[in-house]
Structures are given as C-alpha cells and as structure tokens.
Amino acid sequence: MSQTSEISQDKPQPLPLHELLSRLLKSEKTSHRHPLPIMGTLQDLNQAWERRPLLDFINASLRGIGQVGFANNPITGLLITLAVFLQSPWVALMLVVGVVVATWTAYLMGLDRASIRNGIFGLNGALVGLALGTFGTWGNGTGNLLWVLAVIICAALSTVLMQYIGLWMAVYLGLPSMGVPFHIVTYSFLVIALYVPQPFFELGAPPPFPNPAESLDGVSILSGLITGIGQIFFSGSLVSALLIIIALALCSPMGALIAVLGSVIGLVTGMVLGVNLNVLYAGLWGYNSALTAIAIGGIFYTPNRRSLLFASGGAFGAALIAWLLSLVMTPLKLPILALSFHLGTYACFVILQRSLSSLVPVAPYSIASPEEHRFRYLTAKEVISAFRRQLQGAMLGQHHKVLFDKAPQELKGDLRYIFDAIDRDQSGSLSLEELSYHFQQAGHSISDDELNFVFSSMDVDNSGEIGFEEFGELLLRHRRLMSRLNEFATYFIPIDKNKNGVVELDEMNVVLASVDQPPLSEDEVTFLQQRIGGKELNWEGFLELLLVI
C-alpha cells in the first residue's frame, strides 16, 4: 500500500474530499464532557488566563502540584496543598516554595509556555519541596531558612535539568523524563547532607510509627491502601490521603480508581514479600505502584483491557523493585522516593514498544486525562470497526446506505433542502453542471479536478447523476466523521512511527489490532490498492476511504 507514484509538480492537487464536503454541510463538533465543570483538565481556563500574568502563574503552579499525581487541574493542586497543610504547615510551605521557584525559573528561561502553563516544569519543583520539607522535619529543617534556600536552589536546578535531560530522553530514548530531575537533585542533596561534614543540614531518623503493628488487621490494611495514595505527596495522614484521593478524582475519576488499583497491588505484593507491617500500613508500599498503574493504564496509554492488565503487571513490578531497592538503600540511609515507579514504568515502556505495538501510546503533545484518552480510543474504534464492516460489502459491489436509512426525518429534511437547492431543474438528481453552479453561487472557488472528485465520490453507482440517497449518505458519513475528526486523528497519529505521513500496510494492521480487528487479508489489500490507484495512502487518502467505503 506504499507504492511510490509520480506526482505532477505543475498541476495542483485537488483538496481532500473531507474539506470539499465541508463546503456543503457543516459538521457538529462533539467532545467528552465531565459531570462537573471543574472536572477534567480545564484547558479553557488556560486560555482565559493566558493574558493575565498573575492568574496565569498561579494556575501553572497549582497544575504543577497536581501533575505529581498526573492530574492537570489547578483545583486539584489547591486541594492537595490543603491536604499537605493539614498534616504539616511547614511541608506545605516548602511545597509552595518549590513549585513557585521551578515554574518561575521556566518562565525566566523562556521555555515553552504551553508546557509551563500545564505544570510540566512545576512538578519536579513541587516534589523537591515535599521531599526536603518532609526530611527537614526529621532534623533541623522546621523553620530553618537554610532549608528554604536549599529548596529554592534545588527546585530551580530541577527545571534546568527538566529542560535538557527531558529533551535528551525524548529524542534519544523516546521516554518521558517525569520525575528524573527531582531524583537527581534530591539524592545529591541527601548524599551531601549525610556524608559531607557540614553544620547546616541535619537529617534525623524518621519518626516512630504511632501504633506499632504486630499482626494483619483489616482496618489497618484499608488505611494502608488509602495512605498509599497520600504518600505520592509524602502524606501519611489518613485525612490528608482521603482529601488527596478526592482531589485526584476531581481531575479524573478513572485515574483515581486506577491509582487505588495500583495501591492495592503494591500493598498485597508487600504482604507476600514479608515487608514490615508498619511500613505497609503507613502506605509506603503503595505509592510507587499507584503511580505506575496511572502512568501505564491511563496517561501514556489509553485505558482499555490490555493497558490495565499491563498496568497491573507494572504495579506489581514497581513493588518488587522497591523491595530490591530497599536492600540497597536502607544500609545507605537513603529513601527509595519514586525510584521504583520510574524503573518499573520505563521497563513497561520498553516492553510495550518492542512486543505489543497494537497498544497505541498517547501522543506526548496530546496527553490529557484518562477519560479523554478513552474517548479518543472509543471514537477510533467506532470509525475503524464501521470501515471494516463495510469493506467486505464494497468489495462485492454492495453500497449500503447505513446512515441515511437510520437518519431521523428532521435531518433528512435538512438534506432534502440542500439537495433541492442544488437541483435547479428539479429532476430529482444532480448533474455535474448543477454541482458546479452551486459551488460558484456559494462563493467557493473549486477546480475542475476537485469538482470531478466530489461528483465521482457521490455518484456511487456510476450513473452520471447523483441521487438524493447517494447525496445524503455521503454527507452524513462526512458529518459523522468530521464531528470527531480531532479525537480520531489524535489517536491515529502515533501509529505513523516513521513520521513519513504515509499509512503503510503494517501501520494499517496496527490500527486494526489496536481496536481488536484482525489484519487485512490479501484480497482486502488488493482492493484498497486498486481503490487508491496504486498511490501511497496518506492521511487525506485514508479519510477518503473512510468516507466512500
């Protein structure tokens, strides 16, 4: 399906069919809607505050806090800050300092405004503030301005590292940097504080567990499950953890449920490995698994049966890696932080890229919420599945009027109005001349090639005239496809791995496999090659196939 054909350099190519049909009937845009207006990623808020610097900065900083848990919502960030404050006002202050400095540094460096506005550069600074604020309370950090200075320096450095390391990882490894900058600066600080003689920073031992456990307890297990989510933000308080779960669910209920699933898997894995019950009940064996589950099951991949299954395996792997890391880090007096989450998630990325290409990743520039990713997936599945069902009929010369037959009378009436307006001689069919006259009267400049293209696409039975049902069916197909074109295209684009703009046979089969369809048969491939005239199948050509087949 990728045979090269010569394209005339002198003669301009006709506009794509979907653009030409848009001049006859406008599509109705649809999108995923959340139950409450404050849910989701609130991208409209980004646009509204773009020209209001103070509000824009506050919005970006709050999103940076939410992004620690993959929640791109400023209200989520505000609620999480409140949750941390309820446990420790000092840690909350350090959180705010960290995210503000990291975000401000990104502005000073002139980095991508859209990324800043969505909290991408603030999340590592937020983590720095949470980590140093928490570890400082174990030593001489509370109320100590030197620790505030340390957060400022480390948060600013995390933004610099995010820009350069993040770019390198994306280009050469094809991986997101996530919290890698945070780990570099935080471990560097902890090593200096622990092993370099200096009088400024003292790291004491973690506080003892309030209620030492000696046996399994159902209530404590449930508490450990909940605080496993809270520990993403260094919060071991049950009240704070519950508020954090609510905050995450405000952005994405599906994401919050996946996080709970990950926390359950981490907790159970810890029990099997014989981890100290006090550690389990404190939630310290759930947060890495929760983050891994969200990353694979909802953020970087669309939530579906396969991604959730793999996310569960990743959550188990993260808990196992945490156990192995504890054998090394505990003697060194260093915390695991989110290291096992990163290692487990990166392992999942590599395995999926090499062995399960049918699990299509979310395009990096279009990462939103699990619900929005799911909506794109279902849209693509509906379009591709309908295309596959009609392909066999088209190969047999059958042309079904699927949408026209099911259309309500009111919509058919609208189509009849347009049809009659074009049918000047009231013959009940449209000629090439009538279609040309309509485009001229509507003020649309259209070439002879484009006119013939539209006419032949509508004239399914090759009678030389366009009947009302032929006219209505193609316009309804166009209306339906265009209403969700953005969602379909966003899902589809990552499949073009070599970025050549051509839909090759193996890529087409990946599209089909991703929505549980079998690969194209030899007869189907031959039919499609004949339909496109042996040309390379580009994006516009693929949309044409979806419309006319």
Side-chain angles (χ1 to χ4, degrees):
M1 204 176 297
S2 60
Q3 299 175 1
T4 305
S5 62
E6 295 183 1
I7 298 177
S8 172
Q9 299 297 320
D10 300 325
K11 195 173 184 180
Q13 295 298 301
L15 285 174
L17 179 60
H18 66 277
E19 292 187 20
L20 294 171
L21 293 178
S22 294
R23 300 178 177 183
L24 294 175
L25 182 67
K26 297 296 182 182
S27 61
E28 293 182 355
K29 296 299 180 183
T30 60
S31 61
H32 175 74
R33 290 288 182 265
H34 292 277
L36 297 174
I38 58 174
M39 298 180 71
T41 58
L42 300 184
Q43 291 302 307
D44 291 343
L45 199 60
N46 279 354
Q47 298 174 8
W49 288 354
E50 185 176 353
R51 299 185 182 278
R52 305 176 72 176
L54 179 59
L55 292 177
D56 188 40
F57 183 79
I58 294 173
N59 173 52
S61 298
L62 290 175
R63 287 179 185 271
I65 294 172
Q67 287 281 20
V68 172
F70 295 109
N72 183 10
N73 181 308
I75 301 176
T76 294
L78 183 62
L79 290 177
I80 290 171
T81 304
L82 175 61
V84 175
F85 179 84
L86 292 176
Q87 178 171 291
S88 171
W90 175 252
V91 175
L93 173 63
M94 298 289 264
L95 163 64
V96 172
V97 170
V99 73
V100 165
V101 170
T103 303
W104 184 249
T105 302
Y107 276 112
L108 293 178
M109 292 177 64
L111 303 182
D112 180 64
R113 285 300 177 94
S115 297
I116 299 173
R117 193 167 285 118
N118 283 297
I120 301 301
F121 290 99
L123 77 93
N124 280 281
L127 281 168
V128 166
L130 285 167
L132 269 61
T134 299
F135 301 143
T137 59
W138 301 351
N140 68 338
T142 304
N144 191 331
L145 293 180
L146 287 176
W147 281 81
V148 177
L149 180 61
V151 169
I152 291 173
I153 295 172
C154 291
L157 185 57
S158 75
T159 296
V160 176
L161 292 176
M162 182 71 175
Q163 170 64 9
Y164 294 105
I165 292 180
L167 183 62
W168 180 85
M169 291 183 67
V171 172
Y172 294 102
L173 302 179
L175 297 172
S177 59
M178 297 189 292
V180 169
F182 153 70
H183 284 84
I184 293 175
V185 297
T186 301
Y187 277 129
S188 298
F189 174 83
L190 293 176
V191 167
I192 292 172
L194 282 170
Y195 297 108
V196 176
Q198 44 78 32
F200 307 111
F201 303 103
E202 296 180 9
L203 292 174
F209 296 105
N211 300 303
E214 298 180 356
S215 62
L216 289 175
D217 178 293
V219 175
S220 298
I221 291 174
L222 179 60
S223 176
L225 165 64
I226 295 172
T227 53
I229 309 298
Q231 288 289 3
I232 294 174
F233 297 88
F234 293 78
S235 295
S237 162
L238 184 60
V239 173
S240 294
L242 285 170
L243 185 55
I244 287 171
I245 293 175
I246 293 171
L248 295 178
L250 188 64
C251 178
S252 169
M254 190 178 295
L257 286 174
I258 295 172
V260 171
L261 171 65
S263 183
V264 169
I265 293 173
L267 188 62
V268 172
T269 304
M271 292 179 183
V272 173
L273 293 172
V275 175
N276 185 295
L277 291 178
N278 293 297
V279 174
L280 295 177
Y281 294 163
L284 296 173
W285 225 257
Y287 70 94
N288 276 295
S289 295
L291 286 169
T292 303
I294 303 174
I296 302 299
I299 297 298
F300 297 107
Y301 291 90
T302 295
N304 57 38
R305 185 179 64 256
R306 282 171 294 183
S307 67
L308 290 175
L309 183 62
F310 217 90
S312 299
F316 168 75
L320 185 60
I321 293 171
W323 178 72
L324 294 173
L325 285 174
S326 67
L327 302 177
V328 177
M329 306 295 272
T330 301
L332 296 176
K333 299 180 181 180
L334 292 173
I336 297 173
L337 299 178
L339 199 55
S340 65
F341 149 62
H342 283 78
L343 294 176
T345 301
Y346 288 145
C348 288
F349 284 151
V350 173
I351 293 171
L352 289 172
Q353 290 169 1
R354 295 184 178 182
S355 63
L356 195 61
S357 59
S358 61
L359 192 56
V360 179
V362 177
Y365 67 87
S366 65
I367 290 176
S369 68
E371 284 82 1
E372 292 178 50
H373 300 164
R374 176 76 177 171
F375 180 69
R376 296 172 193 164
Y377 166 76
L378 293 177
T379 297
K381 185 172 184 176
E382 177 185 350
V383 172
I384 295 297
S385 298
F387 167 75
R388 190 60 182 276
R389 287 193 300 270
Q390 299 303 320
L391 180 58
Q392 287 294 329
M395 291 172 63
L396 297 173
Q398 300 172 354
H399 302 285
H400 301 288
K401 297 181 290 295
V402 180
L403 298 183
F404 184 84
D405 291 342
K406 295 180 179 179
Q409 288 301 318
E410 182 180 357
L411 184 54
K412 287 183 179 180
D414 293 339
L415 292 170
R416 172 60 73 177
Y417 177 82
I418 299 172
F419 184 86
D420 289 344
I422 302 174
D423 183 19
R424 300 179 66 213
D425 60 6
Q426 302 301 306
S427 64
S429 60
L430 305 181
S431 65
L432 185 65
E433 292 73 18
E434 288 174 326
L435 194 61
S436 174
Y437 181 80
H438 173 77
F439 278 118
Q440 292 175 3
Q441 291 298 108
H444 297 308
S445 176
I446 184 169
S447 68
D448 290 341
D449 285 343
E450 291 170 338
L451 179 64
N452 289 324
F453 183 32
V454 174
F455 191 87
S456 62
S457 297
M458 289 186 179
D459 185 18
V460 177
D461 58 8
N462 297 316
S463 63
E465 295 180 329
I466 302 171
F468 174 57
E469 292 186 357
E470 290 176 320
F471 176 85
E473 177 67 20
L474 186 58
L475 284 192
L476 288 176
R477 290 182 184 184
H478 171 267
R479 181 175 181 266
R480 187 177 189 180
L481 179 62
M482 292 302 104
S483 68
R484 295 182 177 180
L485 179 62
N486 184 61
E487 289 78 14
F488 178 65
T490 303
Y491 176 83
F492 189 90
I493 286 173
I495 297 172
D496 183 19
K497 292 185 177 180
N498 53 13
K499 310 298 182 188
N500 64 352
V502 175
V503 184
E504 298 173 354
L505 178 58
D506 60 336
E507 293 172 340
M508 177 67 82
N509 284 330
V510 167
V511 173
L512 293 169
S514 72
V515 294
D516 302 320
Q517 291 285 328
L520 292 171
S521 67
E522 292 185 8
D523 290 342
E524 289 173 327
V525 172
T526 301
F527 176 81
L528 291 174
Q529 287 178 332
Q530 292 173 347
R531 182 64 184 79
I532 63 178
K535 300 177 182 179
E536 290 181 329
L537 182 61
N538 57 19
W539 172 244
E540 286 77 14
F542 183 49
L543 291 180
E544 179 190 339
L545 287 177
L546 293 176
L547 285 169
V548 300
I549 293 180

